[in-house]
Amino acid sequence: MHYFNQAAGGLMPDRVLQAVTDYMQREQALGSYVAAQQAQPQLQQLYAQLAALLHCQPTDIALTTGNTHGWCAVVGALPLQAGDRVLVTPGEWGGNYAMLLQLQARTGCVVETMPCTADGHIDLAALEAGLDARVQLIALTWVPANGSTVYDAQALGQLCARHGIPYIIDAAQALGHIPVDVQALQCDVLTAPGRKWLCGPRGTGLVYLKPGFAARLQPMTVDHVSCPITPTGPVLRQDARMLEQSESSVALKLGLLAALDTAQAEGWAQRFAAIAERARQLRSALADVPGLRLHSLAAAPADCGIVPFTLQGHTPAQVQQALLQCHIQVAASGMGFTPLDMQARGLTAVVRASVAWHTSEADIAALVSALQRLAASHTVPA
């Protein structure tokens, strides 16, 4: 399989599968509670590894079952009220946008799109000019799922810090793909899954909470872990673990730890550089395919690992299925992925090819060759 679907889910290294299997066998032999107790040192290593990757403290990290879980848990815990403004970019992930529309209907908050330039950059001057006391959240999907751009998350963080506006970053397509430093980003919250560029198991994820930000949250769901019962009553934790609950898969968490160990051994910097180089090679090679149109905005760097395109005469779903028959996997990214951006550009779907550090020149050649054959099979009407 020539794999170009990293943005959906990375291929797990062997040691990830082994870590999950080994723990499940231990759980079978000892029972879930004893096995979990024995795994506590490894789980603490997981927090430490994630904190090192994000440049924060382990207590700033909560483990989740995925990006949607973490993002919605935080946004749903914000005390939004009628008239509060929530600002998003055109590239906002569709799942996040759906959650915000639910909150808009429930609370009366108003969801608005930030101004952007024609080439896809956030228009920071126009944004700042339009700020007022009603802006209670700025939400950024850093690298949109359709690969249209890579927003300047750090510049937006500086703006939010100047005005004291809560700032949440959805780093689902960033963490493990490009360097992430929450100190430089100045974000209050950052979320990511474990299954994409980190190559952990599906069902894992994380939330970073800036120290002190937990005091602003009112979680909709708590248990005896996130809100322990004391002799004087329940006491909600005041760190990131306020978002965690007791029921979770220890096996999958250990699989994520194994994925991080693998990446650290190989070198994060080397991975980032390899992804960037393969992305540049893929964009250049796709230029040789007749009828293929790239759909990245001008603001999208050539080294972004997500490459969206369409092929004349074929729907994205048809391209996806045709390539799968050639043992090549890509994604068909529909309207639901980035509804605001897709509607603005008149797109209903794109093909999304996403590279990994292990993508080879042979993989790229196979993809291009298959697309050239597919393009040749379509006869354009006179």
Side-chain angles (χ1 to χ4, degrees), residues 310-355:
T310 52
L311 187 64
Q312 184 179 9
H314 304 272
T315 68
Q318 289 170 340
V319 173
Q320 180 189 39
Q321 290 303 310
L323 291 176
L324 198 56
Q325 294 177 13
C326 301
H327 307 289
I328 301 169
Q329 188 176 145
V330 296
S333 176
M335 182 72 73
F337 282 49
T338 52
L340 294 171
D341 178 66
M342 298 283 268
Q343 290 173 12
R345 292 198 281 160
L347 296 170
T348 57
V350 294
V351 182
R352 186 183 69 186
S354 48
V355 299

Side-chain angles (χ1 to χ4, degrees), residues 28-200:
Q28 180 188 41
L30 301 175
S32 58
Y33 280 83
V34 171
Q37 289 170 359
Q38 292 183 355
Q40 286 306 306
Q42 292 171 283
L43 294 179
Q44 295 310 309
Q45 292 175 26
L46 175 57
Y47 288 107
Q49 286 259 35
L50 290 170
L53 185 59
L54 270 63
H55 302 273
C56 63
Q57 296 301 312
T59 51
D60 301 335
I61 299 291
L63 299 177
T64 66
T65 61
N67 193 62
T68 296
H69 171 199
W71 195 93
C72 290
V74 173
V75 174
L78 289 169
L80 295 172
Q81 300 177 0
D84 288 347
R85 297 172 63 198
V86 177
L87 308 184
V88 301
T89 59
E92 189 63 44
W93 166 242
N96 298 348
Y97 189 57
M99 174 67 174
L100 289 174
L101 293 181
Q102 287 278 31
L103 289 174
Q104 179 174 267
R106 184 184 309 153
T107 69
C109 70
V110 181
V111 182
E112 304 174 19
T113 305
M114 289 181 240
C116 288
T117 61
D119 61 2
H121 289 290
I122 299 170
D123 190 334
L124 293 169
L127 172 61
E128 192 160 22
L131 296 178
D132 59 28
R134 294 185 300 124
V135 178
Q136 294 299 307
L137 178 66
I138 287 183
L140 175 72
T141 293
W142 190 353
V143 182
N146 65 358
S148 61
T149 190
V150 177
Y151 293 112
D152 190 342
Q154 187 167 333
L156 187 57
Q158 293 169 352
L159 182 149
C160 290
R162 284 199 304 272
H163 293 273
I165 299 171
Y167 178 36
I168 180 171
I169 297 177
D170 178 337
Q173 301 294 1
L175 189 59
H177 174 184
I178 57 178
V180 175
D181 183 340
V182 294
Q183 308 304 322
L185 293 167
Q186 299 188 63
C187 57
D188 297 291
V189 184
L190 183 141
T191 68
R195 67 180 163 89
K196 295 181 183 287
W197 305 87
L198 298 182
C199 284

Side-chain angles (χ1 to χ4, degrees), residues 190-348:
L190 183 141
T191 68
R195 67 180 163 89
K196 295 181 183 287
W197 305 87
L198 298 182
C199 284
R202 192 171 191 178
T204 58
L206 65 107
V207 172
Y208 158 79
L209 284 189
K210 184 178 180 179
F213 191 75
R216 307 181 71 161
L217 302 180
Q218 301 171 3
M220 299 179 66
T221 304
V222 298
D223 67 4
H224 62 287
V225 170
S226 56
C227 188
I229 304 296
T230 71
T232 58
V235 178
L236 186 65
R237 290 188 62 142
Q238 291 301 299
D239 60 14
R241 311 288 166 83
M242 72 185 312
L243 301 171
E244 292 190 5
Q245 296 175 12
S246 60
E247 282 302 314
S248 61
S249 171
V250 175
L252 296 182
K253 291 176 181 178
L254 295 182
L256 179 57
L257 174 61
L260 295 173
D261 285 339
T262 302
Q264 187 175 46
E266 295 174 351
W268 284 109
Q270 289 79 1
R271 281 198 175 192
F272 298 146
I275 291 169
E277 177 59 25
R278 290 299 183 242
R280 287 189 288 266
Q281 291 175 350
L282 176 59
R283 281 184 169 82
S284 176
L286 289 176
D288 294 331
V289 180
L292 186 145
R293 180 185 175 190
L294 292 173
H295 287 284
S296 297
L297 294 174
D303 57 3
C304 176
I306 301 176
V307 184
F309 63 88
T310 52
L311 187 64
Q312 184 179 9
H314 304 272
T315 68
Q318 289 170 340
V319 173
Q320 180 189 39
Q321 290 303 310
L323 291 176
L324 198 56
Q325 294 177 13
C326 301
H327 307 289
I328 301 169
Q329 188 176 145
V330 296
S333 176
M335 182 72 73
F337 282 49
T338 52
L340 294 171
D341 178 66
M342 298 283 268
Q343 290 173 12
R345 292 198 281 160
L347 296 170
T348 57

